[in-house]
Amino acid sequence: MRHNALRPFLAAGLAASLLFGAAACGSESDSAGSDGGGGSDTTEAPSTAVKSLADLEGKTIGVQTGTTGETYANENKPEGAEVKSFSDTDGLFGALESGDIDAILQDLPVNAGRVAEDDSVAVVETYKTDEQYGFAVEKGSDSLADWDKALQDVRDDGTYDLLYAKYFPTDGDEAGPGPDASDVEGSKTFRVCSDIPYAPMEFEGEGPRGLQYTGFDIDLLDAMAATLDANLEILDVEFDGILGNLAGGTCDIVASSLTITDERAQEVDFTEPYFDADQSLLVKVG
């Protein structure tokens, strides 16, 4: 087991398990994205009318406001395609179901999670962007070193691997139970800004230590907080402007599948990366 390295989300077995289940077989392509947007992995899905970004000429692509998916869609959309932004994933998935948009371009873990629970949609294309998620704290915060140490601690003791196996089981494996419940009561509380829902990374549900939210991000950060003798208070805020909430003192840390970018690093300090993720295209089946 490699505790100190990020797990590549696009490992062949995991991609097959989460993206297509038993319904389809994957095949990779090294073709460039439209407008030279970089290589893409394409899986044939005969039951979908849209099989790639290029098929969306003159159609509407749904994205979440303020995300790297929005940036990628605007930079690589085919001629005549419209990019329509939504404040949350509920709006995105609802628009795809109603036919208001023709596809969703967003983080692979989230699209893959949707496929795992809804066989009316499929991921037909992924785009390698070398994205990495990090937790964000206020620029210059003394807490950064503590969070980095906490992340290393949960890697070293195996907690990270247990959480990963729970939310991202490899092909053919059952989801793991996750780590044992923590009995740390906590002598302090950190306020966490997160855009919910964004399953499987963060969503409403019975979480660790009595939290009403769960998901890979939430469970991981709570395990880290436990090593600091601390609790979490989760604040549900919109992703667009989430860093403003941090700067304004609404929260102490952001846990919201936040991609580390140079632009964002000018506003906040990031912990060490904790997750690899790329972009993907989700469409309706049939």
Side-chain angles (χ1 to χ4, degrees):
M1 255 178 224
R2 296 172 56 198
H3 298 293
N4 296 325
L6 295 180
R7 291 179 179 271
F9 187 83
L10 287 178
L14 183 55
S17 173
L18 284 184
L19 301 189
F20 307 102
C25 297
S27 64
E28 294 187 353
S29 168
D30 292 327
S31 61
S34 62
D35 297 334
S40 64
D41 295 328
T42 305
T43 296
E44 294 182 14
S47 59
T48 64
V50 174
K51 302 184 186 302
S52 70
L53 191 59
D55 293 334
L56 290 167
E57 183 174 343
K59 299 183 182 296
T60 304
I61 305 166
V63 299
Q64 187 172 5
T65 304
T67 62
T68 49
E70 181 180 45
T71 301
Y72 189 93
N74 281 310
E75 291 178 349
N76 297 284
K77 64 182 179 181
E79 184 177 355
E82 176 190 359
V83 175
K84 188 173 182 179
S85 298
F86 294 80
S87 62
D88 56 44
T89 53
D90 281 345
L92 266 175
F93 292 131
L96 182 64
E97 184 176 353
S98 68
D100 289 341
I101 59 176
D102 300 287
I104 293 174
L105 203 161
Q106 67 174 340
D107 292 3
L108 175 56
V110 180
N111 277 345
R114 187 70 177 191
V115 170
E117 65 181 32
D118 182 0
D119 60 8
S120 72
V121 293
V123 172
V124 294
E125 199 168 46
T126 63
Y127 315 105
K128 187 166 179 58
T129 55
D130 297 321
E131 292 182 54
Q132 294 182 319
Y133 295 158
F135 300 115
V137 297
E138 188 177 7
K139 197 76 175 173
S141 172
D142 293 335
S143 69
L144 181 62
D146 292 334
W147 287 116
D148 277 338
K149 183 180 184 303
L151 177 58
Q152 189 61 54
D153 286 345
V154 299
R155 288 188 184 281
D156 290 343
D157 68 15
T159 299
Y160 182 99
D161 291 318
L162 291 171
L163 287 172
Y164 196 94
K166 175 182 178 180
Y167 287 102
F168 309 107
T170 54
D171 190 20
D173 291 343
E174 294 290 332
D180 292 337
S182 171
D183 60 1
V184 174
E185 295 184 3
S187 60
K188 54 189 172 184
T189 299
F190 292 110
R191 297 163 300 163
V192 184
C193 281
S194 188
D195 178 29
I196 296 169
Y198 204 62
M201 307 306 284
E202 44 261 341
F203 54 94
E204 290 188 37
E206 185 178 346
R209 295 194 293 160
L211 289 175
Q212 300 304 304
Y213 299 97
T214 187
F216 184 80
D217 280 355
I218 302 299
D219 292 8
L220 175 60
L221 189 65
D222 186 77
M224 292 164 58
T227 73
L228 301 174
D229 189 31
N231 297 310
L232 300 182
E233 177 188 356
I234 310 298
L235 306 176
D236 183 7
V237 302
E238 289 190 358
F239 190 84
D240 187 28
I242 198 169
L243 297 186
N245 282 279
L246 181 63
T250 301
C251 52
D252 303 301
I253 189 167
V254 170
S256 199
S257 304
L258 191 64
T259 301
I260 300 171
T261 66
D262 291 339
E263 182 179 7
R264 289 171 177 165
Q266 294 178 15
E267 297 182 55
V268 299
D269 284 336
F270 283 102
T271 63
E272 290 297 314
Y274 66 88
F275 198 86
D276 287 334
D278 291 317
Q279 293 299 307
S280 62
L281 192 68
L282 182 80
V283 301
K284 292 178 70 174
V285 171

